């Protein structure tokens, strides 16, 4: 009965009571006035009517009190429900109420935005739909065990993060708690409160990653090992693959790659080897090597390939990588750029390199650059110490012979000059040869010192390769004549003009030709040729001399290295210097040899450089 109706009944009953009292009073006075005796039956009847009315009034008063109390309780319950609904609605956490058969009864707004299902989609579904497959069974056991336990609430996952499964199939780390509540009618419901901790976990992971890598990167002072540590730290935590570009002292860019899968790695390596970075270009890699922070590239599309793809071959390789995002950052120490780091990703997340991730990458790039610079400084210092030791040993050892020869010839010419003019001329020639030998040694040592200090400066001029070859051949004409070498030169004038340091390239060719003559039989053939290849302009010096055993070919370009040290026949520096000169020009040098049948030395000068 509504409260207002109850109140009307109460008023009506009071009025009825009043009317009964008046009737009773009137009956009494009527009886007294007539002077007759009061008929007891009427009095009793009237009294019972009055009593009944009074009793009813009390009953109704009690009923109204109960109704008022129930109304109060309803209002409170509605307020509590409204408060609960409000909390459910605004909570960022997912609040999911499930029934005893683990079916979802309530799915709040937070749950909708975390899991991606609407409440209508989720309600009625089993809770297990919100969990990755592999956790479903064990989760069921945990809830059953919680059901039996005396606890009314507990954290899920026992201190570890649990995993949630979104509608789009992606997993996310979460923290969750569960509580149980028994309702009237032996019904039990459970409430699961779950928080998506993806962002927090990312920050924690990033902090852990940065502290681990900064220690990892300083574990070695070998630049090659540091670059390797950078590559393996970056992949797969920061991206699916990466390029590390290092700026060598000579200015050349040394590019290495790393990828989580072998196919991508092989494509990246082909790109790195066959399509070197053009430092002067406008690509993100070139920009980073100039210390700039290029924009994130989202996908390698036609427009990108048109701008930076290069040849069709390179474009195909880039397309095959199927990248969705690429970020290049400079590796800088102070105001010095030591290289660039390019992170390549194929994932579906559009915000792979969002601002949080970029902060981590920038921090990582700082540690990487610092580690590289430390390794470089250490290597330079060690190389300088080694070079000093080598120079000291060469000076003390190799100069002793020519100085001894000069001293002996000069003493003889002064104290007991030979009577024969020929003999005197032979001694004077010995002095001249020894002086030339010492001069060459000093020049080579100075070159080596400059290379070590990174001061091998190049004075590049437009030059014709054929004229450089002719100059070098002219310098060795007396040796060619003396050993009756059949020198063939096949260098076309039509080759493109090169931008090289003439003096240095002549030095390389003269060294290779000198060795070819030196290590060939009297009268044998030596051929110098040149051709335009994919590698650039390749110059070849081929002899039919003693050749070089395969196991020592790899060491042939090391300094002070000779197959058979022969005093007066070289110092083992020529090829090391030639190697440094060719690399400073951005080319490479190599040897192919058949022991006993001859050697072919070749070096390339990049075609792109040649065209500049
Ligand atoms: P050097 O000739 O002054 O000893 P290089 O650095 O020019 O120094 O050469 C290093 C060594 O490489 C030589 O001592 C020789 O053992 C080997 N070598 C170089 N060129 C040839 C060649 N054309 N044929 C055989 N061996 C060679």
């Amino acid at each position: 009965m509504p409260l207002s109706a109850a109140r009307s009944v109460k008023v009506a009953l009071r009025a009825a009571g009043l009317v009964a009292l008046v009737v009773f009073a009137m009956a009494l006075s009527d009886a007294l006035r007539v002077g007759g005796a009061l008929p007891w039956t009427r009095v009793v009847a009237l009294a019972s009517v009055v009593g009944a009315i009074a009793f009813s009034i009390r009953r109704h008063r009690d009923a109204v009190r109960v109704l008022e109390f129930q109304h109060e309780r309803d209002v409170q319950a509605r307020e509590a429900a409204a408060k609960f609904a409000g909390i459910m609605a605004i909570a960022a956490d997912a609040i999911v109420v499930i029934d005893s058969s683990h079916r979802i009864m309530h799915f709040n707004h937070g749950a909708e935005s975390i899991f991606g299902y609407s409440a209508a989609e989720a309600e009625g579904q089993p809770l297990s739909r919100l969990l990755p497959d592999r956790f479903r069974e064990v989760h069921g056991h945990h809830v059953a065990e919680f059901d039996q336990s005396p606890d009314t609430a507990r954290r899920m996952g026992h201190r570890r993060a649990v995993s949630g499964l979104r509608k789009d199939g992606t997993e996310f780390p979460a923290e969750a708690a569960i509580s149980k509540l028994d309702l009237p009618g032996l019904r039990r419901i459970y409430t699961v409160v779950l928080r998506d901790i993806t962002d927090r976990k990312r920050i924690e992971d990033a902090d852990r990653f940065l502290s681990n890598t900064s220690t990892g990167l300083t574990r070695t002072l070998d630049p090659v090992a540091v670059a390797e540590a950078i590559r393996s730290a970056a992949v797969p935590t920061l991206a699916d693959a990466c390029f590390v570009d290092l700026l060598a002292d000579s200015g050349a860019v040394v590019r290495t790659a790393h990828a989580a899968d072998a196919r991508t790695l092989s494509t990246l390596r082909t790109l790195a080897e066959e399509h070197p970075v053009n430092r002067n270009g406008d690509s993100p890699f070139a920009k980073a090597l100039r210390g700039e922070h290029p924009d994130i590239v989202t996908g390698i599309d036609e427009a990108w390939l048109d701008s930076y793809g290069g040849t069709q071959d390179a474009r195909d390789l880039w397309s095959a990588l199927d990248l969705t995002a690429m970020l290049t950052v400079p590796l800088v120490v102070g105001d010095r750029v030591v290289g660039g780091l390019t992170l390549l990703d194929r994932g579906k997340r559009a915000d792979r390199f969002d601002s949080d991730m970029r902060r981590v990458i920038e921090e990582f790039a700082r540690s990487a650059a610092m580690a590289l610079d430390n390794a470089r400084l250490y290597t330079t210092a060690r190389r300088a110490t080694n070079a000093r030791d080598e120079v000291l040993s060469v000076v003390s050892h190799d100069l002793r012979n020519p100085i001894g020869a000069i001293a002996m010839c000069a003493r003889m010419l002064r104290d007991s000059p030979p009577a024969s003019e020929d003999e005197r001329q032979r001694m004077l020639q010995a002095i001249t040869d020894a002086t030339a030998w010492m001069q060459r040694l000093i020049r080579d040592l100075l070159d080596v010192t400059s290379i070590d200090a990174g001061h091998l400066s190049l004075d590049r001029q437009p030059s014709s390769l054929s004229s450089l070859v002719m100059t070098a051949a002219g310098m060795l004409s007396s040796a060619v004549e003396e050993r009756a070498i059949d020198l063939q030169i096949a260098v076309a004038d039509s080759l493109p003009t090169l931008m090289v340091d003439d003096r240095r390239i002549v030095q390389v060719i003269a060294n290779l030709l000198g060795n070819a003559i030196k290590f060939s039989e009297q009268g044998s053939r030596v051929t110098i040729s040149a051709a335009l290849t994919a590698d650039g302009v390749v110059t070849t010096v081929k002899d039919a001399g003693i050749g070089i055993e395969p196991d020592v070919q790899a060491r042939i370009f090391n300094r002070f290295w000779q197959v058979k040290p022969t005093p007066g026949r070289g110092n083992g520096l020529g090829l090391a210097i030639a190697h440094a000169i060719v690399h400073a020009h951005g080319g490479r040098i190599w040897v192919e040899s058949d022991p006993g049948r001859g050697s072919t030395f070749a070096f390339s000068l990049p075609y792109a450089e040649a065209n500049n």
Side-chain angles (χ1 to χ4, degrees):
M1 185 191 304
L3 198 63
S4 53
R7 280 210 184 96
S8 318
V9 170
K10 190 173 148 188
V11 171
L13 284 171
R14 273 194 187 144
L18 216 62
V19 170
L21 262 177
V22 171
V23 171
F24 181 64
M26 278 167 60
L28 200 61
S29 75
D30 190 33
L32 289 174
R33 205 167 358 111
V34 290
L38 189 68
W40 283 108
T41 48
R42 280 177 73 189
V43 173
V44 169
L46 281 169
S48 13
V49 170
V50 171
I53 290 172
F55 178 72
S56 299
I57 290 173
R58 179 159 305 130
R59 280 284 308 273
H60 278 278
R61 195 180 294 144
D62 290 348
V64 168
R65 268 203 208 107
V66 167
L67 284 172
E68 276 174 349
F69 174 72
Q70 275 176 352
H71 173 69
E72 193 80 358
R73 221 178 46 183
D74 280 356
V75 169
Q76 280 174 3
R78 269 203 294 275
E79 272 175 17
K83 272 186 204 157
F84 177 66
I87 293 169
M88 292 278 277
I90 58 161
D93 292 344
I95 303 175
V96 181
V97 180
I98 53 170
D99 63 18
S100 49
S101 57
H102 301 181
R103 290 209 170 257
I104 299 171
M105 296 165 62
H106 190 88
F107 201 70
N108 77 332
H109 188 62
E112 288 183 321
S113 56
I114 289 176
F115 288 99
Y117 291 105
S118 68
E121 283 173 318
E123 284 165 10
Q125 298 297 326
L127 179 70
S128 59
R129 178 164 287 201
L130 307 178
L131 299 170
D133 253 356
R134 60 187 188 287
F135 294 129
R136 285 182 184 169
E137 201 182 326
V138 67
H139 177 263
H141 293 320
H142 283 157
V143 177
E145 193 257 318
F146 169 64
D147 198 43
Q148 301 302 316
S149 84
D151 304 345
T152 50
R154 83 164 48 156
R155 198 178 148 159
M156 291 164 100
H158 299 280
R159 303 183 154 270
R160 275 183 293 112
V162 294
S163 290
L165 181 69
R166 294 186 222 274
K167 185 182 178 184
D168 63 9
T170 54
E171 285 186 25
F172 64 93
E175 262 177 11
I178 187 167
S179 68
K180 61 187 172 199
L181 181 68
D182 288 323
L183 298 178
L186 293 178
R187 276 200 313 136
R188 175 168 273 192
I189 60 166
Y190 305 85
T191 305
V192 176
V193 180
L194 176 141
R195 177 168 295 175
D196 179 349
I197 57 166
T198 306
D199 290 339
R200 199 182 78 199
K201 188 129 190 320
R202 269 179 89 185
I203 293 169
E204 284 170 6
D205 287 352
D207 284 347
R208 200 172 318 115
F209 166 76
L210 288 172
S211 80
N212 285 350
T213 48
S214 64
T215 19
L217 293 179
T218 50
R219 217 165 268 152
T220 169
L221 280 168
D222 170 14
V224 175
V226 173
E228 195 185 320
I230 293 171
R231 292 193 300 269
S232 14
V235 176
T237 311
L238 301 180
D240 294 330
C242 74
F243 276 131
V244 174
D245 296 328
L246 295 185
L247 275 179
D249 289 338
S250 63
V253 182
V254 181
R255 166 165 273 198
T256 49
H258 190 46
D261 69 295
R263 234 176 95 204
T264 308
L265 182 58
S266 125
T267 311
L268 292 178
R269 283 194 174 144
T270 314
L271 267 171
E273 277 161 28
E274 294 177 6
H275 305 280
V277 178
N278 174 10
R279 275 189 73 181
N280 304 318
D282 215 20
S283 67
F285 325 114
K287 282 185 180 163
L289 291 173
R290 292 196 290 272
E292 296 170 32
H293 286 255
D295 293 336
I296 297 172
V297 178
T298 43
I300 299 293
D301 54 13
E302 283 303 315
W304 192 90
L305 290 171
D306 287 344
S307 310
Y308 316 111
T311 61
Q312 187 55 46
D313 185 33
R315 290 171 69 109
D316 291 347
L317 290 166
W318 275 113
S319 304
L321 287 171
D322 202 16
L323 300 175
T324 50
M326 177 169 90
L327 172 66
T328 306
V329 285
L331 299 174
V332 185
V333 181
D335 52 5
R336 222 169 60 78
V337 181
V338 296
L341 169 70
T342 298
L343 298 166
L344 307 158
D345 205 71
R346 299 204 295 212
K348 291 199 173 42
R349 279 189 60 175
D351 59 348
R352 177 63 155 133
F353 299 128
D354 63 4
S355 55
D356 285 340
M357 192 59 158
R358 282 214 301 277
R359 260 194 300 280
V360 174
I361 292 169
E362 294 287 346
E363 191 58 44
F364 174 67
R366 257 191 295 280
S367 311
M370 194 86 84
L372 282 169
D373 203 45
N374 284 343
R376 187 191 61 84
L377 290 173
Y378 175 74
T379 309
T380 310
R382 208 184 50 185
R383 213 188 280 153
T385 317
N386 288 350
R388 190 199 57 200
D389 295 348
E390 282 170 347
V391 167
L392 279 177
S393 86
V394 171
V395 168
S396 59
H397 178 263
D398 287 24
L399 285 184
R400 197 177 291 151
N401 290 338
I403 288 176
I406 294 171
M408 190 189 75
C409 293
R411 207 171 32 245
M412 282 175 72
L413 286 170
R414 186 193 62 197
D415 297 343
S416 48
S420 123
E421 177 60 17
D422 278 1
E423 187 58 15
R424 278 205 301 280
Q425 283 307 320
R426 202 190 54 75
M427 283 184 171
L428 287 170
Q429 187 57 46
I431 290 173
T432 315
D433 288 349
T435 317
W437 161 243
M438 288 198 300
Q439 271 167 342
R440 185 180 154 200
L441 183 65
I442 287 164
R443 190 202 66 193
D444 285 355
L445 287 174
L446 286 176
D447 278 352
V448 165
T449 317
S450 315
I451 291 164
D452 283 343
H455 294 152
L456 187 75
S457 57
L458 299 180
D459 178 15
R460 294 181 188 243
Q461 307 281 344
S463 323
S464 129
L465 185 64
S466 69
S467 82
L468 300 182
V469 170
M470 294 317 287
T471 309
M475 286 163 61
L476 286 147
S477 56
S478 57
V480 170
E481 219 171 282
E482 197 180 299
R483 312 211 60 216
I485 296 293
D486 172 16
L487 180 62
Q488 302 287 324
I489 297 178
V491 179
D493 286 334
S494 56
L495 285 171
T497 303
L498 300 175
M499 278 299 288
V500 292
D501 185 327
D502 286 11
R503 208 173 51 86
R504 291 298 189 183
I505 297 300
V506 167
Q507 186 180 348
V508 172
I509 302 168
N511 181 269
L512 299 183
L513 180 57
N515 282 346
I517 297 168
K518 194 159 62 177
F519 297 104
S520 293
E521 288 295 315
Q522 185 97 6
S524 70
R525 172 172 290 186
V526 172
T527 311
I528 306 179
S529 56
L532 198 55
T533 71
D535 231 5
V537 178
V538 174
T539 308
T540 312
V541 179
K542 181 175 164 47
D543 66 53
I546 60 171
I548 304 160
E549 293 294 333
D551 57 330
V552 297
Q553 284 175 20
R555 278 178 285 162
I556 206 94
F557 297 100
N558 293 354
R559 59 171 67 161
F560 300 112
W561 197 89
Q562 297 176 300
V563 174
K564 218 188 277 164
T566 36
R569 283 195 76 193
N571 54 34
L573 288 174
L575 285 178
I577 294 167
H579 182 269
I581 292 172
V582 171
H583 276 255
H585 279 86
R588 56 189 197 95
I589 184 165
W590 65 97
V591 63
E592 282 161 16
S593 183
D594 194 357
R597 304 179 72 120
S599 311
T600 302
F601 280 84
F603 66 93
S604 67
L605 292 169
Y607 187 56
E609 295 273 329
N611 265 345
N612 273 337

